[in-house]
Amino acid sequence: MTGFGKVTAELPSKKVTVEIKSLNSKQLDLNTRISAVYREKEVDIRNELSQQLVRGKIELSIYLENIGKDTAARINLPVVESYFEQIRALADSLHLAEPSDWFRTLLRMPDAIKNEVAELDESEWNTVHEATGEAIRQLIAFRTQEGAMLQKLFEAKIANIAALLAQIDRYEGERIEKIKSRIIENLKHISEVDYDRNRFEQELIYYIEKLDVNEEKTRLDNHLKYFADSMNQGCGQGKKLGFIAQEMGREINTLGAKSNHFEMQKLVVQMKDELEQIKEQLLNVL
């Protein structure tokens, strides 16, 4: 979701620089700094940014630099003349010397300089608007490049989790036999206790069924495929991928809770590590 774009447009007496950058954010957060002469177009610019960029902390700046002789700053002659008369009268009444540098004194007084905001010229705005559009396209291109890299990363991580999930099968039979053997051995040490062997078999089957992880494996496998399919559906899948990753985490946690086997728990830890790396990077996805 990060990106940057910068375009400079040359006008007859001005140079306009448009900068736009994007950082990660769950929602759209727009901040704009626009030269006063283009302020009336701010709503249009915001609408364009929200439509094209969707999410992220967006900062747009449009700087204006005058490179010609014309300037929007003007000396406020009536105000300066009024200050001149007042200062002379004050100096005379207080028997003080008049300022030695009248220009410095007068031009530093409040409102001695006024900035006139010129009417926005449509042809000028068209040039600025094109520059803004190009800056947005640069940012989107930056995002697209980052997105392609993230997709490769996600595909690798999903493949790693799928490979780890496939390894669980080899420990399934061994795990059940170990659990059964451990229970039987514990019962042998309690020789004075008489128990119904048929009831014991029923309870053992029930207990082992509770430890069965086939449903979790199937659901996790489906989530992995759904994640991969969603990545290929284009822009705007970030939140959806986040929800799928949460569901993947639940299934992996349940696998760990039911495993009761050291090697299986090691596989679960590795799957969690791969999933955490996916979650960290999902903040970069629209």
Side-chain angles (χ1 to χ4, degrees):
M1 204 181 297
T2 57
F4 180 77
K6 180 177 180 180
V7 176
T8 300
E10 294 284 351
L11 297 166
S13 59
K14 303 173 184 177
K15 183 170 74 172
V16 180
T17 301
V18 180
E19 284 187 5
I20 181 170
K21 66 179 179 180
S22 171
L23 299 174
N24 297 333
S25 177
K26 293 182 178 179
Q27 306 296 331
L28 180 65
D29 181 10
L30 280 178
N31 292 298
T32 58
R33 288 181 291 179
I34 302 175
S35 180
V37 68
Y38 309 125
R39 197 67 53 77
E40 65 185 78
K41 298 291 186 179
E42 182 173 357
V43 173
D44 295 336
I45 294 174
R46 283 179 167 269
N47 288 336
E48 191 170 348
L49 290 172
S50 63
Q51 290 173 8
Q52 296 196 50
L53 301 182
V54 185
R55 286 173 62 196
K57 184 178 181 181
I58 312 297
E59 293 185 7
L60 171 72
S61 300
I62 301 180
Y63 304 104
L64 179 62
E65 179 184 353
N66 286 307
I67 56 177
K69 293 182 179 180
D70 292 335
T71 176
R74 295 285 186 271
I75 296 175
N76 198 341
L77 188 57
V79 172
V80 172
E81 288 176 343
S82 176
Y83 282 137
F84 176 73
E85 295 298 334
Q86 291 180 62
I87 292 172
R88 288 193 68 178
L90 183 63
D92 183 60
S93 65
L94 297 178
H95 307 289
L96 297 174
E98 295 181 1
S100 59
D101 190 341
W102 275 106
F103 281 112
R104 179 185 294 273
T105 301
L106 293 173
L107 294 180
R108 293 177 64 181
M109 300 299 289
D111 300 322
I113 304 295
K114 61 180 180 179
N115 289 304
E116 298 178 348
V117 179
E119 290 291 328
L120 178 60
D121 180 79
E122 280 302 318
S123 62
E124 176 182 326
W125 168 245
N126 289 337
T127 302
V128 175
H129 185 243
E130 289 175 6
T132 304
E134 178 58 28
I136 293 174
R137 285 189 289 273
Q138 288 182 10
L139 186 145
I140 292 174
F142 195 107
R143 280 181 164 187
T144 302
Q145 181 181 14
E146 182 184 46
M149 295 172 59
L150 286 176
Q151 182 168 357
K152 291 181 180 179
L153 173 66
F154 291 153
E155 288 172 348
K157 297 302 176 184
I158 291 296
N160 290 344
I161 295 174
L164 292 166
L165 180 61
Q167 294 180 45
I168 287 180
D169 290 343
R170 72 175 68 169
Y171 302 110
E172 278 291 277
E174 177 186 342
R175 178 179 72 112
I176 297 301
E177 287 302 320
K178 281 188 175 181
I179 294 171
K180 186 176 180 180
S181 299
R182 185 169 65 246
I183 294 173
I184 293 173
E185 284 298 319
N186 289 335
L187 284 173
K188 286 181 180 179
H189 291 299
I190 313 176
S191 56
E192 68 276 7
V193 177
D194 188 23
Y195 61 90
D196 187 333
R197 294 188 178 276
N198 291 330
R199 180 62 184 272
F200 168 70
E201 289 293 337
Q202 292 175 1
E203 292 295 335
L204 183 60
I205 291 171
Y206 175 72
Y207 176 70
I208 291 174
E209 283 179 349
K210 287 183 65 177
L211 295 178
D212 182 72
V213 294
N214 283 319
E215 287 188 13
E216 286 74 18
K217 290 192 301 180
T218 300
R219 284 196 293 265
L220 179 55
D221 183 60
N222 289 335
H223 292 329
L224 293 172
K225 292 174 181 176
Y226 190 29
F227 191 98
D229 291 340
S230 298
M231 280 195 298
N232 295 319
Q233 292 179 8
C235 182
Q237 302 298 314
K239 291 183 179 180
K240 181 179 179 181
L241 293 175
F243 295 144
I244 298 171
Q246 289 179 5
E247 294 302 316
M248 289 162 56
R250 290 191 181 96
E251 302 304 333
I252 292 173
N253 286 335
T254 307
L255 277 172
K258 286 186 172 183
S259 62
N260 279 306
H261 189 280
F262 177 70
E263 294 299 330
M264 283 179 62
Q265 288 174 336
K266 281 174 60 178
L267 294 173
V268 167
V269 170
Q270 290 175 273
M271 283 191 280
K272 286 183 177 182
D273 181 54
E274 297 289 341
L275 182 60
E276 282 304 309
Q277 293 180 55
I278 289 175
K279 288 181 176 179
E280 287 174 4
Q281 294 301 325
L282 279 176
L283 294 174
N284 293 315
V285 181
L286 286 179

